[in-house]
Structure formats: structure tokens, C-alpha cells
Amino acid sequence: MVRPVLSVKRLHKKIRGKTIIHDISFEVNEGEIFGFLGPNGSGKTTTIRMLVDLIKPTSGDVYICGNHVQKEPEKALRHVGCIVENPEAYPYLTGYENLEYFARMLEGTDEARIREVVSIVRLEERIHDKVMTYSLGMRQRLGIAQALLGRPKLLILDEPTNGLDPKGMKELREFVRMLADQRMSVFISSHLLSEIQLLCDRVAIINGGRVLAEGSVSDLIKQARGYVVWQLDNPELGKQVLAGNHAIQMIGSDVHQLDEGLIANMADAIITTMSADQIPGSVEKLVEQQIGVMSVHQIGPSLEELFLTLTEGETYG
């Protein structure tokens, strides 16, 4: 029987009489990249703080490699590397000097290990420069190097892509996948569905301090509707033709959850929800009516749509 690296059982947290976290349970297995997905304020960071014993749960249990975090914190946390919110470093020291400083706190962490983690995060060319000269992406990599010094079995990253440019995000994905390939478990919190979808094997979706769903990203996304956006040379007649198919739902501009930037350059865009196999027949009917089809875009579900589906249209915040 395979024992999970991280096991969270009915975790509950009250702060000043208000319930912040409601009976959260999930597990993370060896070599798995596990996403903790939710909007800002959903309870992600509070949960992570309980996972690493920065705050105590009101009730519930957290086990890391079989060790109870609240009862055996030293045994449990020696298996963990963690970055909660922004990675901290001494700006007037070099990256290498920062790693030396933190390595002194970890038994058995020598210069060879420092060089190894520097290589893992690809900071060899800048590791002897002062941290104040680093970009945000480089500071993030240095923080990950620091978290890896103790050879953890579980790496916890809280919103690691915040502020990173696309290149930095791509590099982070590569680091994390490489670590998972080496059998390290990685727990990543994020509010970005696209990043979680690209990176994670499984995900728990949290909102209002509750886990709404848990499973593979592809399985969860199947539960939410995507959109098909049409650009037609006769949009009014096109709407009538599309609306004639009862399998197609027309979506008003005040209802959809699409990023406005995606449709900003689409004049008179018609937004629908429909199955992919309905698209070819719809194009044929539009052409039969001599309506020019300028473009058809399939757009996957957004984080907002996924939450709306899981909460059956209730608002969240």
C-alpha cells in the first residue's frame, strides 16, 4: 500500500469566531504535482500555513510522510521545503551567500548540495551577484533553491507565478516537472487555471474555505462549459440561425465570464455554448443562408465558469 506524502484530514480553522476553513481533506502522492486552485481570499494561504505548522488548526490532522505535523513537527517538517507568499532573501548578500546562510541551519547540507540546487534552478551565471540585482523570476528561483537545500520529499509553493513574465512561468513549469520526475511531490497553490492546467496532475478546487472538487484537471474541466465565439458578416440573421438549434445556447454579453481582452477585437461577436460536434453543421446552415463565417473560436472554460458550475450558479468571493 502506497502511503501519501501529504495527507490532510478534516482540517478546520476558526479565527475570532469566524470559520475560515471548513473540514478540508485531500492527499498528495509521491512524485505528484498537486494544484490547490482558488480565487484570492479563498483560504489557500491559510491552509498552507496550517500544513507547515505556522498556525494551528482548530481541528483536523495533517500528516507528512506519516508524521503528524501538530504532534511531531520536527519529524514532519524535515521532509518539507516551502515558499509561502514571496520568497525572502537578504538583498545585500549574493545568492550564494544566502544559500550558505540557510544551509548552516540544515544538518548535512554542504557546499556540494548548494552547487547542486543552484544547477537545478539554473542560476549558475548569477549566483555570486547580490540579490538586489536579481529580477523577480531570479528571486523566485533562488527561493526554490533554498527550499530544496534539505532534500525535501514535499515542496510547497504558494502562488509561485505571481508577477512572473511568460518566460519565468515557463521556466518554473520546467523546474517543477523535473522535480516531480525525480519522485518529489509538489504542492502548488494558484488562482490561475491556465497554469494549473498546464502543470498539475491533480487539483483540489477551494472557495470560501471549502474544497468544492478534487480530481484530474481534465476531468474537472469537463464539468464546466466552454464557449464558441462566432464572427459573422450578418450577425443578426446569424443569431436567428444559430438560435434555431435547441442544442445551442446563446449567451448575453452581461452573462459570460470571458476575458474581455479575448473578444475586444471581434466586432458583434456572437457568444454561444455548444458541443464541438455541433460546429460543422452550424457552419453549413449559416453558409446555406449566405451568411459569411469570418471566424469561429472555441474557448475553454475559465476559472469563473468552473466555479459557477461547481456551485450551481451561486456567487463566490
Side-chain angles (χ1 to χ4, degrees):
M1 179 178 173
V2 178
R3 186 170 62 183
V5 173
L6 171 64
S7 180
V8 177
K9 299 182 178 181
R10 302 205 65 180
L11 205 60
H12 189 90
K13 180 64 178 177
K14 280 188 175 182
I15 298 178
R16 292 188 291 275
K18 181 181 179 182
T19 299
I20 305 299
I21 302 296
H22 302 258
D23 293 323
I24 285 178
S25 299
F26 57 85
E27 293 183 341
V28 180
N29 299 313
E30 181 184 14
E32 181 174 53
I33 304 175
F34 187 90
F36 201 45
L37 178 66
N40 294 328
S42 60
K44 300 189 301 296
T45 298
T46 299
T47 301
I48 288 174
R49 289 179 178 278
M50 288 189 282
L51 300 186
V52 296
D53 204 35
L54 290 176
I55 59 175
K56 302 291 184 184
T58 303
S59 62
D61 303 284
V62 179
Y63 295 89
I64 297 174
C65 297
N67 301 296
H68 195 285
V69 168
Q70 285 73 46
K71 296 177 182 177
E72 308 168 287
E74 290 188 8
K75 287 183 179 180
L77 296 179
R78 70 185 178 187
H79 300 293
V80 179
C82 182
I83 300 177
V84 180
E85 297 176 330
N86 297 319
E88 297 295 338
Y90 295 102
Y92 292 96
L93 298 179
T94 67
Y96 194 90
E97 288 168 340
N98 269 276
L99 293 178
E100 282 184 316
Y101 175 81
F102 290 108
R104 294 188 195 107
M105 305 178 193
L106 300 169
E107 185 177 347
T109 304
D110 54 16
E111 289 190 16
R113 179 57 180 170
I114 295 175
R115 290 194 295 271
E116 185 178 1
V117 297
V118 169
S119 176
I120 289 171
V121 301
R122 301 174 192 168
L123 269 180
E124 297 97 328
E125 294 185 5
R126 297 290 306 276
I127 195 62
H128 295 292
D129 295 343
K130 289 186 177 181
V131 171
M132 69 171 66
T133 68
Y134 284 11
S135 67
L136 179 60
M138 292 170 63
R139 289 194 201 102
Q140 189 69 271
R141 282 189 271 166
L142 181 65
I144 293 174
Q146 176 190 327
L148 295 176
L149 282 170
R151 297 179 176 83
K153 294 181 180 178
L154 173 66
L155 178 63
I156 297 176
L157 303 175
D158 184 17
E159 296 279 4
T161 60
N162 271 0
L164 295 184
D165 59 20
K167 180 182 178 183
M169 290 183 180
K170 181 175 183 292
E171 289 175 347
L172 181 69
R173 288 197 298 268
E174 291 172 353
F175 299 151
V176 169
R177 178 50 62 188
M178 177 186 64
L179 295 171
D181 289 343
Q182 297 173 1
R183 308 305 300 163
M184 183 181 295
S185 304
V186 185
F187 177 97
I188 296 180
S189 81
S190 180
H191 65 280
L192 300 174
L193 178 62
S194 59
E195 284 304 303
I196 292 294
Q197 187 172 359
L198 286 170
L199 189 56
C200 296
D201 303 309
R202 285 193 308 120
V203 61
I205 297 176
I206 182 174
N207 189 44
R210 293 181 173 86
V211 170
L212 304 181
E214 180 184 347
S216 71
V217 176
S218 58
D219 286 345
L220 292 176
I221 284 181
K222 287 175 185 176
Q223 300 178 34
R225 65 181 181 182
Y227 294 102
V228 178
V229 181
W230 302 80
Q231 271 189 295
L232 308 175
D233 66 1
N234 189 337
E236 290 304 318
L237 182 56
K239 284 180 184 180
Q240 296 176 29
V241 172
L242 292 172
N245 184 339
H246 297 301
I248 299 174
Q249 183 180 359
M250 311 297 291
I251 304 297
S253 59
D254 58 337
V255 176
H256 72 78
Q257 298 290 331
L258 285 171
D259 183 341
E260 293 295 339
L262 291 174
I263 57 174
N265 296 320
M266 299 182 189
D268 298 317
I270 300 170
I271 302 170
T272 64
T273 59
M274 58 195 297
S275 60
D277 58 11
Q278 293 283 336
I279 295 175
S282 298
V283 171
E284 288 182 11
K285 288 183 178 179
L286 290 165
V287 173
E288 286 173 3
Q289 297 295 319
Q290 298 185 333
I291 299 170
V293 180
M294 300 160 66
S295 67
V296 183
H297 298 270
Q298 277 189 279
I299 300 175
S302 66
L303 176 61
E304 289 80 5
E305 287 293 342
L306 188 53
F307 280 135
L308 286 171
T309 300
L310 291 170
T311 57
E312 298 181 349
E314 295 177 5
T315 58
Y316 62 90

